[in-house]
């Protein structure tokens, strides 16, 4: 356990009972979790009896990689280990390192049937959800003007994050729009179940429901593990909290997190879970990791000063391992244009004089609307940049199309997938014919896919439509017939050829560059299948789809690809969590932006905004610049702004005049 400081050592060597590790920014929490798992295994705990839970695939993979190097094993596969000379008990299997959603998928694939769902349930992505939401609103005769599909999904997600059923949501409604959404929520869930499908939030909700209603199932799943470790515990929502509690009956629970970095309340995270850990586990040991190895002393000093203004928090103070450093600059500019110009000018000068690379810089924002003017100035300066976010791989038409086809072949012929591909590529099946098929399926309580394949009697259709439907059915049948060796790669290649998907790309995109880039996306899907097939012990198409769709939820995968480029990073502070840069610019520090105007009426919301500012500050390793505009355009006219209260707090001023203009200061 060399290389651990005393606090890290204490966390690693506390091997039994409940343990709360308060890990401040840059204090080496991943290192501690990895060392602790290795310590458990070396102390004789079988690897398969250990469960580590994270929030992102990136975090899970990083943990697996580190653990594999420490133990000299290949994570994810069985590994024989000879008994050590010191008499330690050998281990036979690797620990389970998983995201919450991945763990819940595995549980539900084994146990979901008592809830009335098939074991081969489909998992709907955002595109699927939008399609279903549109159908639901159409069925209850609600127009887009009253409630748009994305608004319905917002409320459904909001309620699900709070672990609320449709009945509970209906009681909690305060507006007409919310009442309509609650009606839609009830219909949405019913349709999902009828189609044998779940969405991502359901993976957590249904696991929680399964544990609550079926004690034997809960006990069986809890009995799989003797030790549980949870990373980023401050980000758990109600369902995740209850699932952890249900599994940890052995009481060997280690949670790692930092209440000062709890910034996801808007998506259901409850900081109360880490603040009140002792309520559930009165005898829990608490270890504080306070040695920061990321930032200079000057940056850590202002970070500590800021976060102390939050009254409800665990008592801890970061200590900088790097002494000295440049004092963070607080700048005021006449307007947002000058703010952008001067920020870009500063970066350009430092690139010229300090030997920096573009990737060393990050410009952080509170809102997604702020980057536009900075992009303009970066283009003028001919400086490379990336806007972290952008279109996800899974938002591309080609990906959605092929995943829908693979679902049908994989035995999960849900309605949304069928509707997506029934006339893609075009087969002469018009909207009216599709509506006729859909209505016939509803009236006769049969699946849409059974009508397509002819397993159920079809309604009367014109000859062109019938030929198109039979063409689709034969393409799928031919694909399955051709693929005799169970190779998923061969199956995907045969499918793409049989549905003539290359012609579909050529039809849609006229420019050669567009065609090649779109075809490259198709190739990536095949490559993903190949990688999966080589790594999985028993490759299955449904398992591949589960893993791929769960990866869709992890924005970090796409973010990591972007950040590998040698370019200045533009991103929100929420996106910046978990990252670090030598030089950071936090812009737009004004009341109404940071803190956001939606938070101004609630002390709890202001506290979360302050934590968000704290996260932004602690991304900086060596140099930090904070700025605001004295005026900002509103509907085309310049309006005076108010400086963010956090600008005052960063300098320790409790009686900050945050509603006064700082002109002349």
């Amino acid at each position: 356990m060399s290389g651990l400081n005393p606090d890290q050592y204490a966390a690693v060597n506390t091997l039994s009972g409940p343990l709360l590790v308060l890990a401040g920014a840059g204090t080496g929490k991943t290192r501690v979790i990895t060392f602790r798992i290795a310590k458990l295994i070396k102390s004789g705990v079988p690897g398969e009896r250990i469960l580590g839970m994270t929030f992102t695939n990136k975090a899970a993979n990083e943990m697996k990689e580190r653990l594999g190097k420490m133990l000299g094993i290949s994570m994810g596969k069985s590994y024989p280990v000879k008994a050590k000379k010191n008499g330690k008990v050998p281990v036979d299997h690797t620990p389970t390192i998983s995201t919450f959603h991945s763990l819940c998928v595995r549980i539900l694939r084994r146990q979901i049937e008592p809830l009335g769902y098939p074991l081969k349930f489909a998992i709907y992505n955002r595109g699927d959800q939008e399609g279903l939401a549109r159908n639901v609103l159409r069925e209850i005769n609600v127009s887009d003007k009253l409630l748009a599909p994305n608004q319905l999904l917002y409320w459904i997600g909001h309620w699900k994050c709070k672990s609320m059923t449709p009945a509970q949501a209906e009681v909690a409604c305060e507006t007409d729009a919310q009442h309509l959404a609650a009606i839609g929520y009830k219909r949405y869930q019913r349709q999902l179940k009828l189609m044998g499908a779940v969405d991502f939030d359901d993976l957590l909700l249904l696991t929680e429901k399964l544990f609550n209603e079926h004690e034997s199932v809960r006990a069986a799943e809890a009995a799989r593990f003797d030790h549980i470790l949870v990373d980023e515990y401050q980000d758990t929502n109600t369902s995740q909290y209850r699932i952890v509690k249900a599994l940890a009956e052995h009481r060997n629970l280690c949670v790692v997190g930092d209440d000062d970095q709890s910034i996801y309340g808007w998506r259901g995270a409850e900081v109360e879970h880490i603040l009140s850990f002792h309520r559930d586990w009165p005898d829990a040991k608490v270890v504080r990791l306070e040695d920061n190895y990321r930032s200079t002393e000057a940056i850590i000093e202002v970070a500590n000063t800021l976060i102390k203004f939050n009254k409800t928090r665990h008592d801890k103070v970061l200590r900088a391992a790097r002494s000295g450093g440049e004092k963070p600059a607080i700048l005021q500019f006449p307007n947002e244009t000058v703010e952008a110009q001067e920020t870009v000018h500063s970066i350009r000068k430092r690139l010229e004089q300090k030997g920096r690379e573009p990737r060393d810089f990050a410009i952080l924002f509170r809102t997604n609307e702020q980057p536009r003017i900075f992009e303009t100035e970066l283009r003028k300066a001919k400086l490379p940049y990336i806007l972290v976010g952008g279109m996800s791989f899974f938002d591309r038409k080609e990906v959605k199309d092929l995943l829908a086809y693979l679902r049908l072949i994989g035995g999960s012929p849900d309605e949304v997938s069928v509707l997506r591909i029934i006339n893609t590529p075009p087969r002469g099946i018009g909207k009216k014919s599709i509506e006729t098929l859909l209505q016939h399926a509803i009236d006769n309580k049969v699946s849409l896919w059974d009508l397509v394949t002819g397993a159920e009697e079809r309604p009367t259709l014109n000859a062109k439509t019938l030929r198109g439907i039979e063409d689709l059915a034969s393409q799928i049948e031919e694909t399955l017939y051709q693929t005799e060796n169970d190779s998923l790669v061969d199956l995907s290649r045969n499918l793409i050829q049989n549905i003539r998907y290359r012609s579909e790309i050529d039809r849609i995109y006229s420019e050669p560059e567009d065609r090649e880039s779109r075809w490259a996306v198709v190739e990536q899907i095949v490559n993903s299948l190949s990688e999966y097939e080589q790594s999985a012990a028993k490759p299955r198409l449904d398992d591949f789809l589960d893993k791929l769709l769960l990866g869709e939820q992890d924005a970090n995968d796409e973010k990591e690809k972007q950040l590998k480029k040698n370019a200045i990073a533009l991103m929100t502070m929420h996106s910046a969590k978990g990252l670090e840069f030598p030089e950071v610019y936090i812009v737009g520090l004004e009341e109404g932006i940071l803190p956001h105007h939606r938070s101004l009426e609630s002390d709890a919301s202001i506290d979360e905004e302050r934590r968000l500012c704290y996260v932004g500050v602690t991304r900086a390793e060596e140099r930090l610049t904070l700025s605001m505009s004295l005026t900002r355009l509103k509907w085309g006219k310049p309006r005076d702004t108010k400086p963010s209260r956090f600008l005052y707090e960063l300098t320790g001023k409790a009686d900050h005049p945050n509603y006064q203009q700082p002109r002349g200061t």
Side-chain angles (χ1 to χ4, degrees), residues 7-8 11-12 14 18-25 27-37 51-55 63 100 228-236 244 253-262 273-275 277 285-289 314 316 577:
D7 295 328
Q8 292 172 335
V12 167
T14 302
L19 172 65
L20 170 62
V21 181
L22 295 170
T27 58
K29 68 177 177 64
T30 303
R31 179 181 177 85
V32 165
I33 295 171
T34 307
F35 269 76
R36 193 172 187 275
I37 294 173
L51 170 64
M53 283 193 281
T54 72
F55 279 83
M63 207 175 295
F100 275 94
I228 297 175
L229 300 92
V230 184
D231 191 16
E232 304 285 8
Y233 190 67
Q234 79 280 349
D235 293 335
T236 52
V244 169
L253 173 64
C254 170
V255 303
V256 183
D258 182 11
D259 51 294
D260 291 336
Q261 297 186 78
S262 180
H273 296 156
I274 194 168
L275 291 174
F277 189 74
K285 181 177 179 178
V286 179
V287 176
R288 290 173 171 80
L289 306 183
H314 285 291
K316 55 190 175 301
K577 179 132 182 329

Side-chain angles (χ1 to χ4, degrees), residues 81-140:
V81 178
K82 297 180 181 180
K84 305 291 184 181
K85 293 181 179 180
N86 59 9
K88 298 297 183 184
V89 180
V91 292
D92 298 318
H93 299 87
T94 61
T96 298
I97 310 293
S98 167
T99 65
F100 275 94
H101 286 88
S102 294
L103 176 71
C104 289
V105 166
R106 287 198 289 274
I107 292 171
L108 294 173
R109 290 292 186 205
R110 293 191 291 263
Q111 309 279 11
I112 199 172
E113 287 181 311
L115 298 180
Y117 291 81
L119 289 178
K120 284 191 172 184
F121 57 85
I123 303 173
Y124 275 17
N125 64 15
R126 181 70 182 187
D128 301 327
Q129 289 179 267
E130 289 172 355
L132 180 57
R134 279 192 293 272
N135 292 340
V136 165
L137 292 171
R138 187 169 60 247
E139 289 177 13
I140 62 177

Side-chain angles (χ1 to χ4, degrees), residues 467-602:
R467 282 196 303 272
I469 290 173
E470 290 178 345
D471 183 41
L472 170 59
S474 67
Q475 288 171 349
I476 298 299
E477 185 178 351
E478 186 178 356
T479 299
L480 293 171
Y481 177 78
Q482 291 173 330
T483 313
E484 297 179 349
N485 59 356
D486 294 327
S487 166
L488 299 183
V489 171
D490 288 350
L491 181 139
S492 64
R493 288 172 176 166
N494 292 336
L495 172 68
I496 292 164
Q497 182 177 348
N498 290 337
I499 65 174
R500 301 180 287 277
Y501 201 75
R502 182 69 198 242
S503 298
E504 169 72 349
I505 288 176
D506 292 343
R507 181 184 69 84
I508 296 175
Y509 305 104
S510 58
E511 295 295 326
E513 294 83 0
D514 289 342
R515 291 175 176 179
E516 290 309 310
S517 66
R518 299 289 175 164
W519 188 245
V521 171
V522 175
E523 186 181 356
Q524 284 185 54
I525 297 174
V526 178
N527 292 341
S528 297
L529 269 164
S530 177
E531 291 168 1
Y532 165 76
E533 208 160 26
Q534 291 175 26
S535 63
K538 296 180 179 179
R540 301 190 327 271
L541 184 56
D542 59 345
D543 184 53
F544 166 76
L545 290 170
D546 282 352
K547 285 181 166 59
L548 196 66
L549 290 166
L550 287 168
E552 177 183 359
Q553 291 299 96
D554 191 356
N556 281 281
D557 290 347
E558 195 69 25
K559 186 164 70 178
E560 286 298 306
K561 291 178 184 177
Q562 290 181 299
L563 291 171
K564 286 180 180 178
K565 299 177 181 178
N566 189 12
I568 299 158
L570 278 66
M571 67 180 80
T572 65
M573 278 172 275
H574 284 102
S575 295
K577 179 132 182 329
L579 302 176
E580 56 193 40
F581 302 88
E583 302 199 20
V584 170
Y585 294 77
I586 302 178
V587 299
L589 276 157
E590 301 144 33
E591 292 287 307
I593 296 181
L594 183 66
H596 197 274
H597 66 86
R598 289 194 299 265
S599 69
L600 298 179
E601 302 300 320
S602 163

Side-chain angles (χ1 to χ4, degrees), residues 301-524:
E301 183 179 340
V302 298
N304 283 330
T305 301
L306 172 68
I307 203 62
K308 284 180 181 177
F309 283 87
N310 275 9
K311 299 296 186 291
T312 306
R313 59 186 291 268
H314 285 291
D315 185 30
K316 55 190 175 301
V317 178
L318 286 181
R319 299 183 296 265
R322 304 171 63 187
S323 61
E326 185 177 337
K327 185 178 179 181
I330 299 177
L331 305 177
Q332 297 173 352
F333 299 104
N335 54 57
E336 66 265 47
T337 300
V338 177
E339 183 181 31
Q341 290 171 343
E342 291 300 319
T343 299
V344 171
H345 179 67
S346 171
I347 294 174
R348 185 171 56 194
K349 279 193 358 184
R350 296 191 64 79
L351 282 168
E352 294 170 355
Q353 301 172 5
K354 302 292 181 180
R356 292 284 195 205
E357 295 287 330
R359 65 166 58 93
D360 295 332
F361 297 86
I363 305 174
L364 306 185
F365 313 89
R366 172 61 179 88
T367 70
N368 288 312
E369 294 77 30
Q370 291 174 264
R372 180 192 60 80
I373 194 165
F374 289 84
E375 287 192 79
T376 300
E377 295 303 323
L378 286 163
R379 288 195 188 105
K380 287 180 183 177
K382 297 182 179 180
L383 293 177
Y385 73 92
I386 51 168
L387 180 60
V388 177
M391 179 178 285
S392 164
F393 175 76
F394 297 90
D395 290 333
R396 293 172 165 83
K397 176 186 183 300
E398 296 75 26
V399 176
K400 291 181 177 181
D401 290 347
L402 292 178
L403 290 186
Y405 272 105
L406 289 173
R407 279 188 195 165
L408 303 184
I409 291 177
S412 301
D414 62 279
E415 187 177 284
V416 171
S417 295
V418 177
L419 290 172
R420 179 166 191 91
I421 60 86
I422 193 168
N423 200 45
T424 302
R427 300 183 175 90
I429 307 172
K431 288 184 179 180
K432 287 186 177 179
S433 296
I434 293 172
E435 288 175 1
T436 300
L437 281 166
L438 190 57
Q439 192 60 53
H440 186 83
I442 294 170
D443 293 342
N444 293 275
K445 298 181 179 179
V446 297
S447 83
L448 186 59
W449 184 239
D450 283 344
L451 295 179
V452 171
T453 59
E456 296 285 346
E457 186 177 351
R458 300 174 182 136
T460 302
L461 301 165
N462 63 53
K464 184 179 181 182
T465 298
L466 192 59
R467 282 196 303 272
I469 290 173
E470 290 178 345
D471 183 41
L472 170 59
S474 67
Q475 288 171 349
I476 298 299
E477 185 178 351
E478 186 178 356
T479 299
L480 293 171
Y481 177 78
Q482 291 173 330
T483 313
E484 297 179 349
N485 59 356
D486 294 327
S487 166
L488 299 183
V489 171
D490 288 350
L491 181 139
S492 64
R493 288 172 176 166
N494 292 336
L495 172 68
I496 292 164
Q497 182 177 348
N498 290 337
I499 65 174
R500 301 180 287 277
Y501 201 75
R502 182 69 198 242
S503 298
E504 169 72 349
I505 288 176
D506 292 343
R507 181 184 69 84
I508 296 175
Y509 305 104
S510 58
E511 295 295 326
E513 294 83 0
D514 289 342
R515 291 175 176 179
E516 290 309 310
S517 66
R518 299 289 175 164
W519 188 245
V521 171
V522 175
E523 186 181 356
Q524 284 185 54

Side-chain angles (χ1 to χ4, degrees), residues 58 95 156 238 264 387 491 609:
K58 176 179 177 290
I156 292 174
T238 301
Y264 298 117
L387 180 60
L491 181 139
E609 291 288 295

